[in-house]
Amino acid sequence: KDYKTLIEAVNILVNTRKITNFLIRVVGAPVYKSDFGYLNEVKTLIEWYKIGDYFQFLGGRSYRDMPAIYQSADILVNLCPTGGKDKAVLEAMATGVVPIVANISFKDDLGSYFDQLIFKHGNSVDLSEKILATKDNYNTGLKKYIREQIVQKHNLGKLVGKIVNFYQDEKIN
């Protein structure tokens, strides 16, 4: 998940930039034995930087709880590198939450805000700058734009059309 990058970005915001009016809420719980060790490493790094007041670990949550969690957020930071589109980003965008992502496959969804909302994977300085810029330029127009992208590009009708086209193309080939 690359939480180290997020932790280091928070350290920059708090201890260098002196930004203190935010809270990072981490949703999810360890699954595998190695995940518990990683969680301990993450918490140790947070303690080492003395930024524990800026993190809240919510643990696992059911899918039905997620809309309310998303709606209570202003920004979603997604640390996953380039690859397929993470559904957590799409879910957050559907509720109007502004995503900051490392995954360039969201370029079309972010449109003219792409440069503002994508950071270089593993680069905590870049991430801290994107968080700060988004926080400083946060407005309802951006939220509305993000939501509209999901409605226009990822609605159920389009998904069904893509599925039908896929199977029709398979029959032709």
Side-chain angles (χ1 to χ4, degrees):
K1 292 282 187 179
D2 193 26
Y3 282 109
K4 181 181 179 190
T5 300
L6 178 61
I7 293 164
E8 290 176 350
V10 169
N11 178 54
I12 292 166
L13 291 171
V14 172
N15 294 317
T16 302
R17 302 297 296 269
K18 306 302 181 196
I19 307 297
T20 59
N21 57 340
F22 66 92
L23 177 66
I24 305 291
R25 292 180 301 147
V26 179
V27 179
V31 176
Y32 303 106
K33 187 175 182 177
S34 62
D35 295 345
F36 288 92
Y38 182 63
L39 178 59
N40 287 332
E41 290 175 27
V42 164
K43 289 182 175 181
T44 299
L45 189 57
I46 290 169
E47 288 175 23
W48 189 79
Y49 281 124
K50 298 179 178 25
I51 54 174
D53 291 345
Y54 302 95
F55 283 86
Q56 180 181 35
F57 289 84
L58 301 179
R61 293 291 190 262
S62 71
Y63 289 117
R64 72 175 173 272
D65 294 337
M66 291 310 298
I69 291 170
Y70 288 131
Q71 290 168 344
S72 69
D74 294 322
I75 297 171
L76 172 97
V77 175
N78 186 273
L79 302 156
C80 296
T82 301
K85 291 184 180 181
D86 189 333
K87 71 180 173 105
V89 176
L90 298 174
E91 290 169 353
M93 289 175 69
T95 64
V97 175
V98 176
I100 298 176
V101 300
N103 186 338
I104 62 170
S105 69
F106 285 101
K107 183 175 183 171
D108 290 339
D109 298 307
L110 301 177
S112 62
Y113 293 100
F114 176 75
D115 289 332
Q116 177 184 335
L117 300 175
I118 191 148
F119 71 97
K120 295 177 190 97
H121 182 258
N123 187 325
S124 57
V125 173
D126 190 35
L127 176 57
S128 69
E129 290 170 359
K130 302 296 180 170
I131 291 170
L132 190 56
T134 301
K135 183 179 173 304
D136 288 346
N137 297 314
Y138 192 79
N139 60 59
T140 55
L142 175 55
K143 289 180 65 128
K144 183 178 179 185
Y145 177 84
I146 291 300
R147 168 108 171 91
E148 287 174 356
Q149 295 309 296
I150 294 300
V151 170
Q152 291 173 11
K153 297 176 180 173
H154 299 281
N155 65 55
L156 185 59
K158 289 195 184 250
L159 175 62
V160 170
K162 287 178 183 178
I163 292 170
V164 168
N165 287 339
F166 173 79
Y167 283 106
Q168 287 177 340
D169 288 346
E170 287 296 310
K171 285 183 180 179
I172 293 171
N173 293 328

